[in-house]
Structures are given as structure tokens and as C-alpha cells.
Amino acid sequence: MSTDGRRPFYGYWIVAATFLCNVITFGCGFYAFSLFVTPLGSDLAWGRGDVMAGFTIFFLATGLLSPQVGRLVDRHGARVVMSIGAVIAGIGFVVLSQVGVLWQFYLGYMIVGVGMAGTGQIPTSAVVSNWFEKKRGTAVGLMASGIGIGGVAFPGLIGTRMIPLIGWSQSYLLLGVLCWAVIIPLAIFVIRTRPSEKGLVAYGAESVREGQAEKKRQVVGIPLKLAMGTLTFWLIAVTYLFSHFAQVGAVQSQVPFLEDTGFPMSVSAGALGAVGLCSAFGKFGFGWLCDRIQAKFALAIGLGLQLASILVLMRIGPDSAAASAWVYAVMMGLGLGSWLPTMSMLTSGYFGMAHYGAVFGALTIPYAIGSAVGPFVAGYMYDGSGNYDAVFVLFLVLFAVSIASILAVRRPGIE
């Protein structure tokens, strides 16, 4: 789409910029974490559960700040929020590069979590949703696929290059520099929260007149207080709480599990990268799917893929071929790709755009709590039993409950 017949629609640049911001945010934060578990435990004599507690702190910091970040994006726009968030995240990685005791490690990840609350899915999904009326699901899926690309690029880069060559300390420092060097310029020079800031209208508005009608329509929505009074909100919240407990617990445990089983780092890190790559395809695919079927059905399909991947993981043993790790990674990655496109489309579809940031931010709290607690519980369950058998059974149950809860969602009875 072009507004003047000559230049590409600026919304495409928005998608590209938010894509890159998600590559850095999730590549440095979510996907990088598990690669530091073994080196930190070895060098500093920390237990696996102690290290995983840092991931819990990271996600809790992100989740608890999410409603405030959403309100700030609604009120002040994404440029300021994302720039400040990148500065804070970079400082957190600098702190992590200097840790020697657990409290410093936890402080570093708390700071990183605070910063990445302002650079991740809340501002990026809000911005893209504002710029696209038609094909919104596809646009959100393209933006969200940056998360998966971060999962492709960073495990191999960190696990097989950075940590072996320069150590975990300097690797953390480089992650901080990446946050500053990539996200801040994109936020300042490219990101615009709404099309009106460029004198444009959202994709799908065929004329200025229709654009004005769309502008009026977009201010309609359910405020957070009313949204939280609906069963719809809480069923969605329960779905993301339980599914992300299992999803993130599995992804953060897969590298230590595969190493314990006897696979070399190249295979375990490669499988993590495959999860990221398939997640990128999955996010685009599920975004496209959300333009064609209800988002709740798309999410149920994604959760079913993740449940099946855990069944595959449970069958991997010392005599298993490396191909079994790839089968798991493909299924988990494709299923994992469903979460952000569907969360965005569930928010805008059921609660409108007027208070999108606040509602999406509130739904991020259960997502973040599940993401924080899953690896923490998995780590301590492993420390207690010496294996992941009970952990994987727990993940299966939580995925099954999540599928049931999302299928029970209905449109809220509030206008």
C-alpha cells in the first residue's frame, strides 16, 4: 500500500523496526538465558535452581511492570518508552557481566527485566496494531517472528562462539551494547506509535474520509477495569499463565536436559536455535491464520503442538538419535509461535484498541508469572529428583488445561 502512489506505506518500516527490536529483546533475554546456566554453575558453584531463579526474577520484573508500560505507551507513545527501556536493559547486562555472588546476579536480571518490559511485545504489538486495520494478524505475525529469529541467531552465536571464546562475563557485556546500538536508534528515528504522527491512516483505510471514520472507531474499547470484570479476560489469563509455565519451563530446561542425556553442546544449542527458527515461521503462520479463523482456535492448535512436543522430549534417552531432538524442536518451535499473534488478536478483538496497551499489559502479568515460575520450579524439581520425568508430566497437564480454557472463551457482554 502507498499513500501517494510512489512511496511504500510507512507501516512496512514500522513492521521491520519492531521485528528487529524483538530480535534483540528476546535474543538477548529469553533465548540467551539457558546458555549461561552451565557456565555460571560451573564457575561460581551455583545450583541449577539458584541460577534459574534469576530467570524467575527477570520475568516477574517484566510482568509486574507490564500494565504500567502499556499505559505509558497509550499515553506517551512507544518511542520514549522503548528508548528508556533499552537504556535500562543495557545497564542490567553490564551489571551481569560483573557478578560474583547470587544477589548481584538477581539484581542484574531484575534490571534487564525492567528494561525489556519497555522494548518487547507490549510496545511493538501496540504500534503494529495501530498501523494495520486490515491484515493486522499477518502484520503482527511478521513483527512477532523477530522473536523467533532472535532464537535462531543468539543460541548459536552465544553458545558456540561468544561464551567459549570470550567467556560469560564479556558475553553479557556485548548483549548490553547490542541493546543500546540497535533498539535506541530504531525507537528514536523509525518508530511512530500511530499513523497520524506521519500524516497517514492505517492500512486498510482507502481514503482520508474512511481514515477519519477508522480513527473514531479505534477510540472505542473496553477499559482495563471493565475488562478485568469479564470471564473472557480471566480465561485468557489462565490460558497464558499455565501454558507459559509449561512452555518456558520446557524451553529453558531443554539445553540442560539434552546435555544430561549425553548430547554435545552443538546439538543442544542447535535444537534451541531450531526452536527459534520454527517459532519465527510459526508466528507468521499463526498471524496469517488469525486473519482467517478465530484467534482462540489458532491458539488451541499452537498449544496442541507444544503438548505433542513434550511427549517427544520424554522419549529421548542416551541411545536416541540427534534427529529426535530436532523433531521436538520443530514441534515446540511451531507451537511456541502462536502465543504473541494470538495474544495481540485476542486483546484487540475482544477488548478493542482504545485501551489496548493497558489491557495487553495486564494480560502480560499471568504470561510473565507463568514464564518466571516454570523454569524455577523445573530447576528445583530437577535438583530434588535428579531427572526431568515429573517435570514433563506436569507440563503435559498444564498444556491440556490451557487448551480447555482457551476454547471456553466467549466474547465479553460489554459494549
Side-chain angles (χ1 to χ4, degrees):
M1 179 179 178
S2 174
T3 55
D4 60 7
R6 295 184 299 275
R7 292 181 298 172
F9 178 52
Y10 193 80
Y12 299 152
W13 294 109
I14 294 294
V15 172
T18 52
F19 171 93
L20 289 173
C21 288
N22 280 323
V23 169
I24 300 301
T25 296
F26 285 85
C28 292
F30 180 89
Y31 283 101
F33 185 90
S34 65
L35 299 166
F36 289 90
V37 172
T38 300
L40 286 168
S42 176
D43 288 357
L44 300 175
W46 294 344
R48 193 164 291 178
D50 293 330
V51 178
M52 284 298 185
F55 193 82
T56 299
I57 291 169
F58 165 69
F59 256 99
L60 285 177
T62 300
L64 292 176
L65 278 177
S66 293
Q68 289 74 28
V69 169
R71 290 189 183 96
L72 288 173
V73 171
D74 288 339
R75 187 175 303 170
H76 301 292
R79 278 199 293 173
V80 173
V81 173
M82 295 180 72
S83 299
I84 295 174
V87 171
I88 295 172
I91 292 172
F93 282 117
V94 173
V95 172
L96 288 171
S97 72
Q98 304 300 313
V99 299
V101 294
L102 274 172
W103 73 263
Q104 295 171 341
F105 179 69
Y106 296 155
L107 174 64
Y109 265 108
M110 182 183 70
I111 296 171
V112 171
V114 169
M116 289 190 167
T119 64
Q121 69 271 13
I122 298 172
T124 56
S125 68
V127 168
V128 172
S129 295
N130 282 330
W131 276 86
F132 288 83
E133 169 61 15
K134 292 183 179 178
K135 306 296 184 184
R136 180 179 288 162
T138 302
V140 170
L142 283 169
M143 172 274 295
S145 66
I147 298 172
I149 296 301
V152 176
F154 282 80
L157 177 64
I158 296 170
T160 63
R161 299 291 180 181
M162 289 170 59
I163 293 178
L165 294 177
I166 64 176
W168 59 264
S169 177
Q170 293 301 308
S171 296
Y172 271 135
L173 190 60
L174 283 179
L175 296 184
V177 172
L178 274 173
C179 289
W180 292 334
V182 177
I183 297 178
I184 294 174
L186 287 174
I188 293 174
F189 298 111
V190 181
I191 297 294
R192 297 296 183 271
T193 306
R194 297 175 181 83
S196 58
E197 296 176 29
K198 295 286 291 184
L200 301 172
V201 294
Y203 182 93
E206 301 290 329
S207 66
V208 173
R209 187 175 190 180
E210 290 176 355
Q212 292 298 323
E214 168 58 20
K215 183 176 180 181
K216 291 180 180 179
R217 192 197 70 78
Q218 284 192 354
V219 299
V220 177
I222 300 174
L224 176 59
K225 185 175 180 179
L226 288 179
M228 292 181 68
T230 66
L231 180 61
T232 300
F233 179 93
W234 292 108
L235 285 172
I236 295 172
V238 166
T239 298
Y240 283 103
L241 172 67
F242 288 168
S243 65
H244 275 72
F245 183 112
Q247 176 194 108
V248 180
V251 171
Q252 295 300 327
S253 298
Q254 73 179 49
V255 171
F257 168 75
L258 292 173
E259 289 178 340
D260 290 348
T261 305
F263 289 98
M265 172 60 85
S266 58
V267 173
S268 56
L272 185 60
V275 169
L277 177 62
C278 293
S279 170
F281 286 111
K283 285 180 173 62
F284 173 73
F286 279 101
W288 175 87
L289 192 60
C290 285
D291 284 332
R292 287 155 179 82
I293 67 173
Q294 291 185 48
K296 69 174 185 177
F297 294 126
L299 180 54
I301 293 170
L303 294 175
L305 282 170
Q306 293 171 72
L307 186 152
S309 77
I310 299 299
L311 292 173
V312 173
L313 196 63
M314 292 175 71
R315 297 181 62 84
I316 295 178
D319 298 328
S320 299
S324 59
W326 301 114
V327 172
Y328 153 78
V330 169
M331 296 177 71
M332 173 58 80
L334 291 174
L336 193 151
S338 64
W339 78 268
L340 182 50
T342 57
M343 181 184 278
S344 177
M345 295 299 286
L346 287 166
T347 302
S348 61
Y350 287 133
F351 304 110
M353 288 301 299
H355 307 280
Y356 177 95
V359 175
F360 188 93
L363 286 172
T364 299
I365 292 180
Y367 144 81
I369 291 174
S371 300
V373 176
F376 176 77
V377 171
Y380 275 102
M381 288 177 71
Y382 172 87
D383 287 341
S385 65
N387 60 64
Y388 285 98
D389 294 346
V391 174
F392 293 154
V393 171
L394 175 61
F395 292 166
L396 289 176
V397 172
L398 292 176
F399 276 130
V401 173
S402 299
I403 293 170
S405 63
I406 196 60
L407 290 177
V409 167
R410 299 291 184 271
R411 183 170 298 277
I414 297 177
E415 296 298 333

